[in-house]
């Protein structure tokens, strides 16, 4: 059974945090390479716009291209506001949001980067292989650092069983 985030009633901040940590642990417990990816300079101005691009234009396209292969693609992402914005309590209507992605995949790093480059106009991409890092579990805490700003639109995941 595939683990997919469900849209139900609005979730509490604690439920969202638990969801993010749970999806992170599910991905890191599988036997695939794990990449921590940060994408900035997406030209997306809202969390909703970036979430649409990530879910529909990036991950759905990769899934479609690889659905008849043995490749694995499990992901979890969190959308964040710039640090200077997140330090206040109000979110402006228009600001440069960015994303942190945890990707458990057998698809090559180069192919993943290609998909990201062709999804966004001129993104800044940092891809780090964290598969063998001893401290990778600390990354889950990094993903929830803006927990006071998390909403149901700020994250998503899709994880198939191994």
């Amino acid at each position: 059974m595939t683990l997919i985030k469900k849209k139900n009633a609005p979730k509490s901040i604690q439920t969202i945090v638990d969801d993010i940590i749970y999806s992170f642990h599910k991905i890191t417990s599988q036997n695939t390479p794990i990449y921590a990816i940060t994408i900035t300079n997406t030209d997306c101005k809202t969390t909703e716009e970036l979430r649409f691009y990530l879910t529909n234009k990036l991950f759905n396209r990769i899934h479609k291209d690889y659905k008849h292969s043995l490749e694995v693609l499990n992901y979890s992402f969190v959308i964040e506001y710039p640090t200077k914005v997140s330090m206040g309590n109000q979110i402006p209507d228009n600001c440069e949001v960015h994303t942190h992605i945890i990707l458990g995949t057998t698809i090559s790093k180069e192919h993943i980067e290609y998909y990201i480059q062709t999804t966004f106009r001129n993104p800044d991409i940092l891809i780090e292989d964290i598969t063998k890092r001893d401290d990778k579990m600390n990354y889950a805490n990094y993903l929830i650092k803006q927990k006071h700003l998390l909403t149901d639109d700020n994250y998503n995941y899709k994880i198939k069983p191994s």
Side-chain angles (χ1 to χ4, degrees):
M1 170 183 258
T2 301
L3 179 65
I4 301 173
K5 185 181 91 166
K6 302 280 187 233
K7 278 240 181 219
N8 296 332
K11 295 180 181 179
S12 70
I13 290 175
Q14 188 57 54
T15 302
I16 293 169
V17 166
D18 293 345
D19 238 7
I20 293 167
I21 291 171
Y22 181 73
S23 66
F24 179 85
H25 287 294
K26 289 299 266 184
I27 289 172
T28 57
S29 69
Q30 294 186 350
N31 192 22
T32 60
I34 303 162
Y35 298 105
I37 303 170
T38 301
I39 307 172
T40 57
N41 195 32
T42 63
D43 285 337
C44 295
K45 303 298 183 199
T46 64
T47 57
E48 294 83 6
E49 181 182 13
L50 182 53
R51 185 173 193 272
F52 175 81
Y53 269 82
L54 290 168
T55 304
N56 296 316
K57 295 189 178 249
L58 178 63
F59 291 118
N60 283 354
R61 192 175 85 196
I62 296 171
H63 174 72
K64 181 180 170 193
D65 288 353
Y66 285 96
K67 73 178 173 183
H68 297 294
S69 75
L70 295 176
E71 300 291 356
V72 175
L73 178 70
N74 293 315
Y75 68 85
S76 177
F77 66 77
V78 175
I79 297 171
E80 290 186 345
Y81 297 96
T83 303
K84 63 184 174 204
V85 172
S86 69
M87 294 177 96
N89 288 329
Q90 293 188 339
I91 303 301
D93 291 336
N94 192 342
C95 68
E96 288 287 328
V97 289
H98 64 279
T99 188
H100 299 285
I101 302 168
I102 295 298
L103 191 64
T105 188
T106 54
I107 301 169
S108 75
K109 178 180 171 181
E110 294 75 23
H111 282 99
I112 295 300
E113 187 167 2
Y114 166 79
Y115 278 101
I116 295 168
Q117 290 285 356
T118 57
T119 298
F120 301 100
R121 286 186 214 162
N122 191 20
D124 291 327
I125 306 166
L126 174 64
I127 301 177
E128 181 183 1
D129 185 340
I130 63 169
T131 309
K132 295 180 182 176
R133 284 185 56 164
D134 293 333
D135 65 343
K136 71 178 162 243
M137 292 308 173
N138 293 334
Y139 200 78
N141 292 327
Y142 180 75
L143 294 174
I144 58 170
K145 70 182 180 287
Q146 290 187 1
K147 64 182 167 187
H148 64 287
L149 299 174
L150 288 173
T151 67
D152 208 33
D153 288 327
N154 289 64
Y155 78 106
N156 200 3
Y157 57 84
K158 187 172 186 179
I159 305 162
K160 292 185 179 180
S162 54

